Amino acid sequence: MLELAILGFLYDVPLHGYVLRRHIAALTGHVRPVAESTLYPAIKRLEKAGLLARTTEPGAVAAPRHVLTLTEEGRQELHRRLAEPGQREITDENHWFTLLAFLRHLDDPAAQATVLRRRLAFLEEPASFFYDGDRPLRAEELDDPFRRGVLTVARATSRAELAWLRDTLASLGDVAR
């Protein structure tokens, strides 16, 4: 998720590390705060893999500033990750939102639709946070108002996302299944 966010934010414009960190925090910080101890090793891994390039500019007041740029290999890797997301990027909401934030960089509407159809299929499967044996429980079946709240909010969110997915697939010229 972090590497995808780094590649995604650098796709449009080179950024200083601290600006990149602020962008990532704005996208995922409420769920996963981005610590320097996490971000900078990820940047170094991507740089070592040839996906990022670093240039140094004089600092305005103090130390020199490092500017990160996506290489052509980095652009190709971002396209690959967007077109071929792992199962976790489809099923985990936080990973999904990170993927979705950059899906516009995948220029092919058919490839975008393929990713959206995978999410749609996942959301259309019966599921619950709570079960009676193997049977998913519905909110109405729960006596606990807090668990009922979890399911009520999740159902409303899923309905909204399903509607958005179907509308977006239609706008991409895809017939939602």
Side-chain angles (χ1 to χ4, degrees), residues 133-160:
D134 288 338
R135 185 179 67 80
L137 292 172
R138 296 184 327 263
E140 304 79 31
E141 298 177 285
L142 296 170
D143 293 330
D144 180 338
F146 306 107
R147 285 187 170 195
R148 194 169 48 248
V150 167
L151 291 181
T152 300
V153 170
R155 184 183 326 150
T157 302
S158 290
R159 283 182 183 147

Side-chain angles (χ1 to χ4, degrees), residues 7-168:
L7 295 172
F9 280 119
L10 292 175
Y11 189 88
D12 289 325
V13 62
L15 296 170
H16 298 282
Y18 69 90
V19 174
L20 178 61
R21 183 173 175 220
R22 279 199 335 246
H23 287 350
I24 293 170
L27 178 64
T28 65
H30 65 287
V31 176
R32 290 200 174 130
V34 180
E36 287 182 21
S37 62
T38 308
L39 177 63
Y40 291 106
I43 288 171
K44 286 195 180 292
R45 279 192 308 276
L46 293 171
E47 193 176 11
K48 186 176 181 180
L51 306 178
L52 302 181
R54 179 190 311 244
T55 57
T56 304
E57 296 178 348
V61 177
R65 299 171 6 155
H66 300 283
V67 178
L68 301 166
T69 305
L70 204 58
T71 64
E72 184 54 38
E73 293 83 6
R75 294 172 97 64
Q76 291 172 8
E77 178 63 13
L78 176 63
H79 286 145
R80 186 196 65 74
R81 289 182 186 207
L82 293 171
E84 304 167 9
Q87 189 63 13
R88 189 172 185 192
E89 282 73 29
I90 299 298
T91 60
D92 178 89
E93 186 173 88
N94 299 317
H95 284 82
W96 169 247
F97 284 148
T98 301
L99 176 75
L100 195 57
F102 303 108
L103 197 56
R104 68 186 172 91
H105 296 312
L106 193 57
D107 297 330
D108 179 13
Q112 292 170 332
T114 298
V115 174
L116 296 182
R117 278 195 312 274
R118 284 184 61 199
R119 177 67 176 185
L120 180 64
F122 166 71
L123 290 177
E124 288 176 333
E125 288 292 318
S128 178
F129 296 106
F130 311 109
Y131 289 81
D132 179 10
D134 288 338
R135 185 179 67 80
L137 292 172
R138 296 184 327 263
E140 304 79 31
E141 298 177 285
L142 296 170
D143 293 330
D144 180 338
F146 306 107
R147 285 187 170 195
R148 194 169 48 248
V150 167
L151 291 181
T152 300
V153 170
R155 184 183 326 150
T157 302
S158 290
R159 283 182 183 147
E161 187 175 355
L162 284 165
W164 175 83
L165 282 164
R166 290 179 182 120
D167 288 348
T168 303

